[in-house]
């Protein structure tokens, strides 16, 4: 448990492995231990550390905290400093996590030696016509309607596994999300560690200036795009183009949930990109 800014305490999970340190940054609504199946596949190459961002997993926040994504970048920096990881590190991110690792590098150039991100949410500024292209509005409303409570983790797992997008996930990867994404309550049920109202606030805090500053990112950066045709996949090529040392990799048979769909292929992609 590591102090970050704004009175936040961030949880970091040591997922094991041997070799250089690989810092892993999760997507909105998830937690660091969703990387477990990927970390297992990387165990002979990297020592994997995974962050629970503010509002997620086992991290601790105060009521009413502003969950703008600049804070996620600060969480990354807090972990690097508290664990004395130094600079020139390897990093992998998914969705919001891809933005967080970018914000950390922009705040502290040279932090990363190489970076990999699956559909990072690094969007252009909102259009002058008022259309919301930050990917926050509709997702936030959906999050507020989410069912936060289940009788057990088993019930939650069966519910998620029965319908997309979670039904597309490899069962052991989905199990990692469910097993560590819920906390026990006094009445014997379980509730989401990142409940719908918090997840909605995170979605609404998604806009940053990172897209306009991608030209400052000096390290090699591989951007992976799925084939689902949604906004994160659509913007991925332009992110790669704006990076001085950007590369685009396509995984056309996957969706935005790719890291949970095919952890082994994701692990191989990370290893190729950050070696």
């Amino acid at each position: 448990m590591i102090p970050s800014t704004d009175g936040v305490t961030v949880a970091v999970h040591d997922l094991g492995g041997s070799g250089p340190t690989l810092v892993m940054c999760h997507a909105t609504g998830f937690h660091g231990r969703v990387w477990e199946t990927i970390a297992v596949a990387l165990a002979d190459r990297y020592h994997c550390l995974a962050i629970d961002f503010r509002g997620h997993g086992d991290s601790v926040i105060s009521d009413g905290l502003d969950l703008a994504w600049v804070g996620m970048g600060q969480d990354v920096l807090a972990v690097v400093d508290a664990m004395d990881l130094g600079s020139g590190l390897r990093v992998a991110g998914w969705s919001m996590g891809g933005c967080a690792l970018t914000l950390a590098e922009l705040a502290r150039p040279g932090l990363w030696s190489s970076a990999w991100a699956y559909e990072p949410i690094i969007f252009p500024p909102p259009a002058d016509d008022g259309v919301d292209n930050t990917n926050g509005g509709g997702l936030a409303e959906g999050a507020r309607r989410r069912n936060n409570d289940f009788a057990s983790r088993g019930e939650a797992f069966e519910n998620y596994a029965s319908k997309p997008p979670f039904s597309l996930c490899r069962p052991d990867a989905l199990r990692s999300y469910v097993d560590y994404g819920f906390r026990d309550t006094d009445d014997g049920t379980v509730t989401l560690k990142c409940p719908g109202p918090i997840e909605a606030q995170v979605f609404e805090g998604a806009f940053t200036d990172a897209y306009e500053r991608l030209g400052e990112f000096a390290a090699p950066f591989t951007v992976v795009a799925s084939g689902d045709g949604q906004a994160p996949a659509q913007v991925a090529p332009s992110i790669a183009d704006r990076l001085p040392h950007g590369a685009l990799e396509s995984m056309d048979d996957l969706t935005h949930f790719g890291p949970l769909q095919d952890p082994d292929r994701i692990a191989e992609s990370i290893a190729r990109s950050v070696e």
Side-chain angles (χ1 to χ4, degrees), residues 119-120 123-124 211 224-239 248:
E119 298 197 335
F123 281 12
Y211 184 85
V224 182
S226 79
D228 66 9
Q230 299 301 309
Q234 293 175 21
V235 77
S238 67
I239 294 171
L248 179 68

Side-chain angles (χ1 to χ4, degrees), residues 4-231:
S4 184
T5 57
D6 306 314
V8 170
T9 302
V10 176
V12 183
H13 304 279
D14 188 333
L15 302 183
S18 59
T21 298
L22 175 66
V23 180
M24 310 179 90
C25 303
H26 66 78
T28 300
F30 290 87
H31 52 77
R33 295 188 71 165
V34 297
W35 292 100
E36 281 190 334
T37 49
I38 295 169
V40 168
L42 292 171
D44 62 344
R45 287 172 280 192
Y46 299 104
H47 176 207
C48 297
L49 300 176
I51 301 169
D52 285 351
F53 287 112
R54 57 186 64 196
H56 297 78
D58 295 327
S59 293
V60 181
I61 62 172
S62 59
D63 291 340
L65 178 69
D66 181 354
L67 292 171
W69 286 14
V70 64
M72 312 301 173
Q74 292 166 356
D75 292 344
V76 175
L77 295 175
V79 170
V80 169
D81 290 343
M83 300 187 73
D84 196 23
L85 298 179
S87 59
L89 297 162
R90 296 163 172 84
V91 65
W94 170 23
S95 194
M96 176 186 71
C99 182
L101 68 86
T102 302
L103 292 171
E105 171 67 20
L106 293 174
R108 191 179 299 173
L111 186 63
W112 312 129
S113 66
S114 52
W116 176 99
Y118 190 92
E119 298 197 335
I121 306 301
I122 305 173
F123 281 12
D128 293 339
D129 60 9
V131 175
D132 177 15
N133 67 349
T134 64
N135 208 29
L139 292 174
E141 290 309 309
R144 288 193 173 90
R145 296 192 298 270
R146 194 177 315 287
N147 179 19
N148 300 310
D149 305 303
F150 292 90
S152 66
R153 287 174 177 79
E155 181 184 80
F157 180 86
E158 293 303 323
N159 178 278
Y160 288 156
S162 69
K163 54 195 174 186
F166 287 112
S167 60
L168 303 173
C169 299
R170 205 172 83 180
D172 57 343
L174 178 57
R175 179 64 69 183
S176 290
Y177 165 57
V178 172
D179 283 354
Y180 304 106
F182 286 84
R183 63 171 48 93
D184 299 314
T185 66
D186 292 340
D187 63 6
T189 63
V190 297
T191 190
L192 278 169
K193 291 180 179 178
C194 180
I198 295 295
E199 185 178 5
Q201 290 178 49
V202 176
F203 279 129
E204 290 168 344
F207 181 69
T208 71
D209 66 351
Y211 184 85
E212 297 163 291
R213 298 181 61 196
L214 288 173
E216 302 173 32
F217 199 111
F221 193 151
T222 298
V223 178
V224 182
S226 79
D228 66 9
Q230 299 301 309

